[in-house]
C-alpha cells in the first residue's frame, strides 16, 4: 500500500491512484482483477517521472557559464536532443527531438545543459509551439547571447493513434531570436547544421 502521507503538489498519492482506478472502470475494466492491481501505483510512478519537469528550474541549468573560451564567438549547436513530452490537450505522448543553437556573447554553457533545459520543459504538459518558445526564451534571458535558434520536430500520439490517425507525420516548429531572426545567413547556417532542408 502506498503511504497515505506521500503527496505531491497537494494531492495525496491515494487520491491519484483512485483517479487511475476510475479511468480503468470508465474504460470498461475491473481494477480489482489481478493483472491491474498494481497498475494505479505504476501509473502514478510513471507520472512522477514523465512530469518531473515541474520540479525543475531550467534557468538554474544555464546559470553556470564558462567565460574562458579563447574568444570563441561562433555558433554553438546541439542537435537531435531527443525528448518525450505529453500534449496538454489529450495527455498523450509527444515524441520528438529538438535542435538548439546560440551565438555566444562571451558566455558559454556546458553543452549537456541545453539538453537539460529541453528536458525540463518537455517533462510537463505541453503545446509544441509553447515549448519551442520557452526553450528559446530562457536561453535568451539567462545567457544573453547574440541570437538563439530552436527547432523542434515531433509526432503527436493524439494525432497518430486517434482522431485523424495519421502515422508518420511530424510537426516542425521553430523560434529564432536575435541574429537567428535578423540575419538570413546566420539562420541558414543553423538550419544547415541541423540538416534542415530550409538551410
Ligand atoms: Zn493532443
Amino acid at each position: 500500500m502506498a503511504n497515505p502521507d506521500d503527496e505531491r503538489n497537494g494531492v495525496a498519492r491515494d487520491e491519484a491512484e483512485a483517479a487511475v482506478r476510475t479511468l480503468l472502470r470508465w474504460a470498461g475494466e475491473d481494477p480489482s482483477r489481478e493483472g491491474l492491481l498494481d497498475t494505479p501505483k505504476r501509473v502514478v510512478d510513471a507520472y512522477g517521472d514523465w512530469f518531473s519537469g515541474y520540479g525543475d528550474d531550467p534557468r538554474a541549468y544555464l546559470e553556470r557559464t564558462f567565460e574562458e573560451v579563447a574568444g570563441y564567438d561562433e555558433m554553438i549547436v546541439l542537435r537531435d536532443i531527443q525528448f518525450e513530452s505529453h500534449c496538454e490537450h489529450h495527455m498523450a505522448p509527444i515524441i520528438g527531438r529538438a535542435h538548439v543553437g546560440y551565438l555566444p556573447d562571451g558566455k558559454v554553457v556546458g553543452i549537456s545543459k541545453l539538453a537539460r533545459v529541453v528536458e525540463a520543459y518537455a517533462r510537463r504538459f505541453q503545446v509544441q509551439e509553447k515549448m519551442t518558445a520557452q526553450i528559446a526564451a530562457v536561453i535568451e534571458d539567462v545567457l544573453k547571447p547574440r541570437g538563439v535558434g530552436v527547432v523542434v520536430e515531433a509526432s503527436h500520439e493524439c494525432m497518430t493513434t486517434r482522431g485523424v490517425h495519421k502515422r508518420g507525420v511530424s510537426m516542425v516548429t521553430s523560434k529564432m531570436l536575435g541574429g537567428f531572426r535578423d540575419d538570413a545567413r546566420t539562420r541558414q547556417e543553423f538550419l544547415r547544421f541541423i540538416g534542415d532542408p530550409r538551410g
Side-chain angles (χ1 to χ4, degrees):
M1 279 302 279
N3 178 355
D5 297 332
D6 184 7
E7 62 95 40
R8 187 161 152 146
N9 302 310
V11 180
R13 179 160 185 124
D14 282 355
E15 211 181 319
E17 292 186 9
V20 177
R21 280 192 290 274
T22 301
L23 281 173
L24 283 168
R25 278 204 309 279
W26 187 89
E29 264 297 351
D30 169 12
S32 67
R33 81 174 166 81
E34 203 186 345
L36 290 174
L37 280 181
D38 287 333
T39 297
K41 176 186 175 301
R42 291 193 202 96
V43 172
V44 171
D45 284 344
Y47 263 54
D49 192 4
W50 290 332
F51 304 106
S52 60
Y54 292 104
D56 239 354
D57 176 10
R59 303 181 66 90
Y61 293 123
L62 299 171
E63 271 157 7
R64 261 201 64 206
T65 56
F66 305 92
E67 294 184 16
E68 292 201 17
V69 286
Y72 186 89
D73 61 356
E74 298 292 327
M75 190 178 296
I76 295 174
V77 178
L78 188 61
R79 64 184 181 198
D80 293 325
I81 307 165
Q82 310 220 349
F83 70 84
E84 300 93 35
S85 187
H86 286 77
C87 84
E88 69 180 35
H89 302 131
H90 302 91
M91 298 164 71
I94 302 174
I95 310 286
R97 52 203 183 127
H99 314 283
V100 177
Y102 67 103
L103 273 171
D105 190 11
K107 287 195 291 185
V108 167
V109 75
I111 200 87
S112 69
K113 300 302 192 301
L114 297 176
R116 293 271 184 215
V117 167
V118 170
E119 187 146 285
Y121 286 117
R123 290 181 167 264
R124 301 176 186 202
F125 288 104
Q126 274 294 3
V127 172
Q128 188 177 321
E129 295 88 332
K130 182 174 79 178
M131 185 175 112
T132 308
Q134 284 174 326
I135 296 166
V138 75
I139 294 170
E140 176 173 73
D141 205 37
V142 182
L143 283 188
K144 309 214 180 320
R146 289 173 293 134
V148 187
V150 178
V151 171
V152 175
E153 11 179 326
S155 72
H156 292 237
E157 289 196 6
C158 57
M159 191 178 165
T160 57
T161 67
R162 55 165 293 287
V164 292
H165 289 275
K166 288 284 171 265
R167 297 222 178 193
V169 290
S170 58
M171 180 163 136
V172 181
T173 46
S174 59
K175 185 77 185 176
M176 306 285 172
L177 300 173
F180 285 62
R181 184 183 194 116
D182 304 331
D183 180 354
R185 286 178 60 186
T186 298
R187 185 167 57 246
Q188 270 159 13
E189 184 185 356
F190 173 59
L191 293 173
R192 219 169 29 247
F193 274 154
I194 66 170
D196 188 298
R198 294 171 292 176

